[in-house]
Amino acid sequence: MMISSRRELLRLAALTGAGAIAGCARNEAAAAEEPPANGITPQTVAEAEKLQGISFTPAERALMIEDVEGSLETLAALRAMEMPNHLAPALTFDPKLPRKRTPSQKNTLSLSPVARAAPKSEDDLAFASVVELSAWLRAGAVTSAQLTELYLKRIAAHDGKLNAFITVTPDLAREQAAKADADLREGRDRGPLHGIPYAMKDLADTKDVRTTWGAAPFKDRVPDDDAEAVRKLRLAGAVLLGKTACGAIAWGDQWFGAKTRNPWNPEEGSSGSSAGSASAVAAGLCAFAIGTETYGSIISPSERCGTTGLRPTFGRVSRAGFMALCWSLDKVGAICRSVEDTAAVLSQINGYDADDPGAARMGFAYEAMPDVSKMTVGYVPQWFDQGDETDRKALQTLRDLGVTLKEFSWPQIDYRTLTAIVLVESAAAFAELTLSNRDDELVSQGKNAWPNTWRGARFVSAVDYIQIDRLRRRCMEEIGAAFEGFDALIGPNFAGGALLATNATGHPQLILRAGYSQRPAKLGEGNEHGEGRATFRAPRGVSLWGDLFGEGKIIALGAVMERELGVASGRPPGFST
């Protein structure tokens, strides 16, 4: 009798009883003594067990051989299939819990009035907020063409020391600016971003403009279509200045051509992976930029460069046409110089898109200048005990504003395991680079860089990955329950595992500038105690987290905090026109 698999052996056990099983087992043992065609032996299985922290008996190993050999055949067939980056898994992530109501929102936007007149100084104009530029454009105090030429001039003057752009698109920008001005003259107002020059992270497809993903294997890639967010911004009248740098395959701030720098201290990188977007906004090279985040890629460079970053709720903004790194975690958001600008941008890129399997059907409502004294904001005392004076000042600012502050019951879970979601999904998204050894072309090759972590991800079992996904569900339930009765949560940007946890649960996070600190200009300078080391004035941010689709509340609260703190207008030195 031929036994084709362990499954068939178990079926026979049910049909014929223990005697037949004993005979089959003897046959299996005899077969195991024959030289295997592909080199898989019980000893191979025994060695593999060490990679999984498990242990089987010799008889169990012998019984597994045929199934293991069959699995290798299946893998070979699977790896022969073409799997383009945009092909998402059939299982999609939904951050909404089935028994928790998510209130619907109408698409409404009410921005603060602009009191000051358009400045005569080019520097002051370049560093103005989106909300201000939008008002001045409508008043005829400035044109989109003038703003576009100003930003193109600044890119030419300053990007050489920042490496914030991979590709600049001056002809396209001038064409779009001319159209924006013509539309305004003829009474066709497309919204708050009409005529506003911006930059797009080089993970988003732009028709006939190369989209490199920051990586050498894709540096000559030119898409045939625009990403959905690019299309929406074009329809909103925004003007594309170019594609901003990102670390190769959304890792860090080192791309195939250079390292993107922090305008406040060009000796250091701008962090990643929305490195160029944050650097360009901080240096006044564009009015706003689009970034993406999987695990800190908007928040981290915003902290480093002193920008305001909004990571929206998972599914709020379409990712269609963006490079997929981790289908169940990737998000698209705005990087700006002021909090309220993020509302203006989100209002134009929000919305359902059938081409994104994870897209949500949810409007976006924002009301400027609310009575924040009616808000209840959570905080975790330990986070602020371990934070710095900037963090504690931000918390005190909420007290001074009359906000109701209550201790937030942050779930005590070891969130570190959730990083495997990023490692495994990204390893699948770029399996071809690993299997073909083209990962050697990536500029970063260290222990924590993609090539090495993708290889390691091959040894995370499917069973354990499902267990990690179950832990993720637990986090969703516990964090969702903790937000009940709160309008927001405030804390240091990276405290308590909240950055990783809320990325995994899909909750939004807003970082805003809250102060400054002195940081070493160059690591390693001075003596062993750090004495004699040169320092620079570094911006410092604090974060607000909201419940799912609660961006309107945290932006409104953040805008009031920003006005009260009075530190958002500071500029990095050395970036005059």
Side-chain angles (χ1 to χ4, degrees):
M1 180 181 293
M2 179 67 70
I3 305 298
S4 61
S5 68
R6 185 179 181 184
R7 180 180 298 172
E8 186 171 345
L9 185 66
L10 294 174
R11 182 180 64 83
L12 279 174
L15 293 175
T16 62
I21 285 294
C24 289
R26 286 193 295 271
N27 292 337
E28 289 282 336
E33 295 175 359
E34 298 177 5
N38 55 13
I40 303 296
T41 67
Q43 185 58 33
T44 307
V45 176
E47 290 299 313
E49 290 166 20
K50 298 175 183 178
L51 298 176
Q52 295 295 326
I54 53 179
S55 180
F56 300 129
T57 67
E60 288 169 336
R61 293 173 190 139
L63 200 61
M64 293 169 61
I65 296 299
E66 194 168 346
D67 275 1
V68 172
E69 291 172 339
S71 295
L72 289 175
E73 294 175 5
T74 300
L75 287 176
L78 183 65
R79 291 169 183 173
M81 299 177 187
E82 184 178 357
M83 297 281 187
N85 179 262
H86 64 80
L87 184 64
L91 297 176
T92 58
F93 175 66
D94 184 351
K96 298 186 294 296
L97 293 167
R99 296 188 180 183
K100 184 173 181 180
R101 181 176 173 271
T102 303
S104 62
Q105 298 177 43
K106 293 182 179 180
N107 288 314
T108 59
L109 181 70
S110 171
L111 298 170
S112 300
V114 174
R116 70 170 178 142
K120 298 187 182 300
S121 161
E122 286 191 339
D123 288 348
D124 291 343
L125 194 61
F127 281 94
S129 72
V130 169
V131 174
E132 290 174 322
L133 293 174
S134 183
W136 297 333
L137 279 164
R138 278 153 187 75
V142 67
T143 67
S144 179
Q146 289 172 333
L147 290 177
T148 298
E149 292 302 330
L150 172 59
Y151 284 122
L152 288 174
K153 176 182 175 182
R154 291 181 61 81
I155 292 169
H158 300 299
D159 192 51
K161 56 187 172 186
L162 294 178
N163 305 312
F165 283 84
I166 292 179
T167 302
V168 182
T169 55
D171 293 340
L172 176 62
R174 291 179 177 121
E175 176 186 332
Q176 291 182 343
K179 186 178 188 313
D181 286 333
D183 283 345
L184 281 177
R185 285 194 302 269
E186 295 169 12
R188 292 190 294 271
D189 189 336
R190 300 184 183 277
L193 303 185
H194 191 137
I196 305 293
Y198 80 101
M200 175 63 73
K201 185 175 180 178
D202 203 32
L203 297 187
D205 282 354
T206 39
K207 184 178 180 180
D208 299 331
V209 176
R210 68 174 182 157
T211 300
T212 71
W213 303 345
F218 308 103
K219 65 181 180 179
D220 298 318
R221 180 178 174 275
V222 179
D224 296 326
D225 298 294
D226 285 329
E228 177 65 6
V230 174
R231 186 188 74 84
K232 284 184 174 178
L233 288 169
R234 184 178 69 252
L235 293 176
V239 175
L240 179 63
L241 295 167
K243 308 295 290 295
T244 49
C246 55
I249 315 292
W251 190 88
D253 48 27
Q254 180 75 49
W255 50 285
F256 65 84
K259 186 181 185 72
T260 303
R261 302 290 174 174
N262 173 13
W264 294 86
N265 176 23
E267 294 289 339
E268 69 179 2
S270 65
S271 187
S273 69
S274 301
S277 292
S279 180
V281 169
L285 307 189
C286 56
F288 72 92
I290 298 297
T292 67
E293 174 154 325
T294 304
Y295 176 19
S297 292
I298 288 175
I299 303 302
S300 185
S302 289
E303 163 68 10
R304 179 70 59 84
C305 298
T307 53
T308 298
L310 175 66
R311 183 194 76 218
T313 302
F314 179 88
R316 191 181 260 293
V317 180
S318 173
R319 301 158 306 164
F322 279 78
M323 183 202 85
L325 181 69
C326 181
W327 295 277
S328 74
L329 281 170
D330 295 343
K331 306 159 201 77
V332 177
I335 295 179
C336 305
R337 281 185 293 272
S338 76
V339 172
E340 205 164 74
D341 288 356
T342 66
V345 177
L346 184 58
S347 72
Q348 302 304 296
I349 60 176
N350 177 71
Y352 176 75
D353 176 21
D355 289 332
D356 180 355
R361 295 182 185 274
M362 181 63 67
F364 171 64
Y366 174 74
E367 183 75 27
M369 297 186 296
D371 182 359
V372 297
S373 66
K374 296 180 180 179
M375 288 189 174
T376 300
V377 178
Y379 73 103
V380 182
Q382 183 182 9
W383 293 3
F384 288 90
D385 292 341
Q386 297 171 350
D388 63 12
E389 287 306 311
T390 299
D391 299 319
R392 289 185 280 274
K393 182 179 178 182
L395 184 64
Q396 183 60 46
T397 297
L398 290 183
R399 286 195 181 95
D400 296 341
L401 288 167
V403 170
T404 298
L405 289 173
K406 290 184 178 180
E407 288 194 25
F408 191 92
S409 297
W410 181 250
Q412 297 304 304
I413 299 172
D414 187 346
Y415 299 104
R416 292 173 298 176
T417 308
L418 297 173
T419 58
I421 298 170
V422 182
L423 302 182
V424 171
E425 288 196 32
S426 64
F430 291 95
E432 187 276 331
L433 292 185
T434 302
L435 297 175
S436 67
N437 288 322
R438 292 184 67 209
D439 56 358
D440 292 342
E441 298 175 35
L442 299 182
V443 65
S444 297
Q445 293 288 331
K447 177 182 177 181
N448 296 319
W450 286 137
N452 190 55
T453 62
W454 288 341
R455 294 167 198 140
R458 293 276 166 176
F459 297 100
V460 177
S461 75
V463 174
D464 290 322
Y465 189 72
I466 294 297
Q467 299 295 71
I468 293 167
D469 208 37
R470 295 174 72 193
L471 173 64
R472 184 179 192 178
R473 172 67 65 171
R474 176 186 165 192
C475 294
M476 292 166 62
E477 292 174 346
E478 295 196 20
I479 292 177
F483 262 106
E484 291 290 342
F486 289 92
D487 295 296
L489 167 67
I490 185 172
N493 306 309
F494 310 110
L499 180 74
L500 172 58
T502 56
N503 263 298
T505 60
H507 286 77
Q509 182 175 355
L510 172 76
I511 178 175
L512 65 144
R513 194 186 303 178
Y516 298 89
S517 65
Q518 289 297 127
R519 285 217 321 267
K522 290 183 180 180
L523 295 179
E525 279 191 343
N527 60 27
E528 60 180 334
H529 303 293
E531 298 167 342
R533 182 182 294 177
T535 62
F536 74 100
R537 185 175 183 243
R540 278 280 294 106
V542 71
S543 281
L544 295 171
W545 288 267
D547 207 347
L548 296 176
F549 302 101
E551 290 87 349
K553 288 183 178 181
I554 59 175
I555 295 172
L557 180 62
V560 175
M561 286 182 64
E562 182 178 74
R563 286 191 285 270
E564 189 70 15
L565 288 164
V567 296
S569 61
R571 305 173 191 172
F575 286 91
S576 298
T577 302

